[in-house]
Every structure is written in structure tokens, then in C-alpha cells.
Amino acid sequence: MDIVRARLIYNPTSGREEMRRRLPQILQRLERGGIETSCHATESEGDAVKAASEAVERGFDIVIAAGGDGTLNEVISGISPHERRPAIGILPLGTTNDFARAHGIPKKWDDACDLIVKRYAKPVDIGQADGKYFINIAGGGSLTELSYEVPSKLKTMIGHLAYYIRGFEKIVRLRSFHMKIAMDGVGEFEDEYMLMLIANSNSVGGFEKLAPNASTGDGMFDVLLMRKCNLGEFIRIATLAMRGEHVQDSHIELFQTNRITVESDRESLHLNLDGEYGGRMARTFTMLPGHVRIIMDELGETKYH
């Protein structure tokens, strides 16, 4: 029988350091399931990109991303440039885990391991922003800065509460940006915007109704634009978003497209890619349909919770 070899790339600080504590049990469960697994602990930003690329070059059958959306983004970024792209398993042990939430990948480590052992892999779309990859969201605007401005030690200590604390600090300093946006098959838009979200799945920052119809299997981005508004209007829109009713508001525009170009003040508008800092705002966003294969439940019956 052929040996299945996996490379487990993990962030030891994710999810209040659960991965560090669970590593022996995780390795044992994967080995018992017939997957010979070696591991790599990330030490700094970009480390998982290099480790994933090396795993491809060394011929591993599966690369497992263990951590949050940032770790998954780096693994995707390391694998995507290669012609041969091994299947990707996910152990969602981060704070938010948007991609896992949207695809029913179990949060419990043992259930997630059992899913990887079954080895059913489904092609999913990913996005490219001026050459940088993302699998869940790309965005710009004050609120998208929250996810990468919260210190990792604070997230480790108090989880989601860290985002709320930082959010209260930023809400009074919300500002708009002038952007000219062109979307293939849709048209051109130019205005003062508070927020631009390019969603590839329906889970964004733990919210499942911001882009309710977004899917990683339709070859399209769901683009949400929020035009300039005052603090009171913003709070009202945020309340509506909790129920998925924000799409009816006059400040919100929602479109589907597979290619976007953006003109903006790139010096002050920064890019968020899968919850991490992506540098200055990209000029072009392009969809790569079915570019990677993610291990998930073949029947769609498993849940994140």
C-alpha cells in the first residue's frame, strides 16, 4: 500500500496555543489514519509560505495548515505558484477561522483530523491581488485594519474580545477613501468609500451574512462597497449587517465579478488579505477558479462548531 505523506505546518501561538498542547495527539491520530506526518512550526511572518513551497518540492501528498486564516493564507501562497499542487488539509485552531467556518471544517481538532484522514479534496477558487494570493477575503478601509492591528499575544490571551476592544477604539476615527473601481461585467464606480470587501466565501470576520451568496466554487468574487457615512449611519448599517439586512441600505453596493481594478490613494489605503496586512492597496484583483484542492466533507454534513 502506498504511503501517504503529509507536512503539518502550524502556528504555535494560534488559538491560545492549543496547537502546541495538542500536537502529540494530532500526530498520533493522523498516523493511525494512515497518514505519515512530519511537522514545521512557524517562527515569523512568511515562514509558512516557504515551508509550504518546500513541501511541494519534496513531494508531500498533503500539506496541513494548522492555525488561523493567516496561516492558511501563507500555506496557500506557498503552494499556488507550483504546477503540482498537493491537497490542503486544515486544522482551524486560530481565533476566527473564516474559511473553515464557511466550509464546515470542524473546529474540534480530533474531528478535523478525522476529516483529513478521509482525504476527500474539492477544488476551490482563490483570488490574486497584484500577485499576492488570498482564499477568503481581500479588503480596504479602516475596519479591515482591525484583524492585523490586534497584537498576536492579545489574541492568544483573550481571543475574539481583542477585536472588540480594538474596534471600539477605531470606530470614532473612521475615515473614507476616494476610489475608482472597475469591475468586469459590471461597470465603473467612483466615490468616497468607507469600506471595500472582496469576498470569496460567506464568512468574513466571523460574520456569515456580509456577503451571503459568496462561494469558493462559483468562479466569482462578491464585492461589497460601503459609501461614506457618518458614525450614526455606520452603527445602523453594522446592526443591519448582523441580520444580513445591510444589502438594502442606500450606502451599500454588492456585485459579482471575476476581475477588479482599483485606483486610489495607495499611500494611505492598505490591503487586508485573509485577515493579515497585505501592503498597499492592490491595483488588480483576479479570480483563479478551482486553483487549489481543500480537504473537506464530501457530503457537506460536518459543521465548524
Side-chain angles (χ1 to χ4, degrees):
M1 185 174 66
D2 293 337
I3 297 174
V4 178
R5 297 170 59 240
R7 187 64 162 169
L8 171 61
I9 300 171
Y10 72 96
N11 180 351
T13 66
S14 284
R16 305 189 189 185
E17 302 188 356
E18 182 180 6
M19 184 64 207
R20 192 196 301 271
R21 298 193 304 272
R22 296 291 188 184
L23 184 58
Q25 296 164 284
I26 289 171
L27 292 176
Q28 184 180 64
R29 201 172 188 95
L30 292 172
E31 295 278 352
R32 287 178 175 174
I35 301 178
E36 184 179 281
T37 308
S38 62
C39 53
H40 173 92
T42 60
E43 297 179 352
S44 59
E45 182 181 348
D47 192 19
V49 179
K50 182 180 178 181
S53 182
E54 290 176 350
V56 176
E57 294 168 356
R58 291 172 59 183
F60 282 92
D61 304 294
I62 301 171
V63 178
I64 302 171
D69 290 319
T71 303
L72 177 59
N73 174 275
E74 289 199 11
V75 168
I76 294 293
S77 297
I79 289 175
S80 292
H82 293 270
E83 185 174 348
R84 186 192 78 85
R85 296 184 288 273
I88 299 169
I90 300 174
L91 295 177
L93 301 176
T95 304
T96 306
N97 308 305
D98 276 319
F99 184 87
R101 183 189 305 273
H103 295 80
I105 296 172
K107 188 176 182 180
K108 293 182 179 179
W109 68 270
D110 47 353
D111 292 337
C113 285
D114 292 345
L115 195 62
I116 293 171
V117 165
K118 293 178 181 178
R119 297 174 54 203
Y120 172 77
K122 181 179 179 180
V124 303
D125 309 332
I126 65 170
Q128 199 168 23
D130 286 354
K132 298 178 181 179
Y133 298 96
F134 63 98
I135 193 169
N136 205 66
I137 67 110
S142 298
L143 284 180
T144 67
E145 298 169 5
L146 275 177
S147 57
Y148 57 77
E149 284 189 350
V150 177
S152 59
K153 287 185 178 179
L154 189 60
K155 287 190 285 186
T156 298
M157 291 170 58
I158 59 177
H160 268 105
L161 182 58
Y163 292 108
Y164 299 138
I165 292 171
R166 190 72 180 96
F168 285 126
E169 295 174 1
K170 287 193 74 72
I171 197 170
V172 295
R173 294 186 284 111
L174 290 174
R175 63 191 188 279
S176 62
F177 296 89
H178 184 85
M179 288 189 283
K180 184 177 181 180
I181 304 166
M183 292 179 264
D184 284 15
V186 178
E188 295 186 357
F189 303 83
E190 185 172 3
D191 210 331
E192 293 286 324
Y193 293 101
M194 306 289 289
L195 178 70
M196 178 182 74
L197 281 179
I198 301 172
N200 193 34
S201 86
N202 67 349
S203 182
V204 179
F207 295 93
E208 298 179 0
K209 296 180 179 180
L210 280 180
N213 298 318
S215 167
T216 55
D218 62 2
M220 303 290 280
F221 296 125
D222 283 48
V223 184
L224 184 146
L225 303 174
M226 180 190 291
R227 286 196 294 273
K228 184 178 180 179
C229 58
N230 60 39
L231 181 59
E233 291 169 332
F234 172 80
I235 293 174
R236 178 178 54 79
I237 293 169
T239 302
L240 291 172
M242 299 288 289
R243 305 191 296 269
E245 298 173 2
H246 60 296
V247 295
Q248 307 298 328
D249 190 272
S250 60
H251 293 87
I252 299 294
E253 295 174 309
L254 188 61
F255 305 98
Q256 281 195 325
T257 184
N258 58 12
R259 189 175 186 275
I260 305 155
T261 58
V262 178
E263 294 180 24
S264 66
D265 178 7
R266 298 178 71 247
E267 294 294 328
S268 57
L269 183 57
H270 296 159
L271 180 64
N272 181 314
L273 295 176
D274 291 334
E276 301 296 326
Y277 178 62
R280 294 176 180 173
M281 174 55 63
R283 290 189 173 91
T284 305
F285 299 84
T286 308
M287 173 62 76
L288 302 176
H291 191 72
V292 296
R293 295 178 300 123
I294 304 290
I295 295 175
M296 60 182 73
D297 182 16
E298 184 174 6
L299 301 177
E301 294 177 349
T302 56
K303 302 296 182 184
Y304 170 71
H305 298 291

